[in-house]
Amino acid sequence: MAKGRSFAAKLAHELSTEGKVICPKCNTEIKRIKLVRKRLSKGNTWMPRYEFANICKCNEADVMSGKV
């Protein structure tokens, strides 16, 4: 069974910048998300295409709207 963590410990972990990549433009954390896009298969049907993208506040609107 997992050891319980206090609220202070959880908050300290969230505020830590260790292992996080920070965008120099907007000063927010760069997160890696999985995008599911469509592609046409050999049988002329649609199949999912999985991609990963790094997003921050600078490009979040473009990625979420499908422009990128």
Side-chain angles (χ1 to χ4, degrees), residues 34-39 46-51 53 62-63 66-68:
K34 186 176 186 178
L35 300 174
V36 180
R37 299 190 182 187
K38 60 184 178 185
R39 70 176 168 151
W46 294 104
M47 294 177 54
R49 181 179 70 185
Y50 302 104
E51 299 175 357
D62 293 336
V63 171
K67 291 182 182 178
V68 177

Side-chain angles (χ1 to χ4, degrees), residues 32-66:
R32 187 172 175 92
I33 62 166
K34 186 176 186 178
L35 300 174
V36 180
R37 299 190 182 187
K38 60 184 178 185
R39 70 176 168 151
L40 197 58
S41 69
K42 295 178 185 176
N44 210 15
T45 60
W46 294 104
M47 294 177 54
R49 181 179 70 185
Y50 302 104
E51 299 175 357
F52 289 94
N54 295 329
I55 64 166
C56 64
K57 291 293 179 189
C58 300
N59 64 352
E60 182 178 24
D62 293 336
V63 171
M64 294 300 179
S65 67

Side-chain angles (χ1 to χ4, degrees), residues 5-22 28-31:
R5 294 193 319 179
S6 68
F7 177 75
K10 290 179 184 179
L11 186 61
H13 178 74
E14 183 64 30
L15 295 177
S16 169
T17 59
E18 183 179 332
K20 295 180 182 177
V21 179
I22 305 296
T28 59
E29 180 184 2
I30 297 175
K31 297 180 181 177

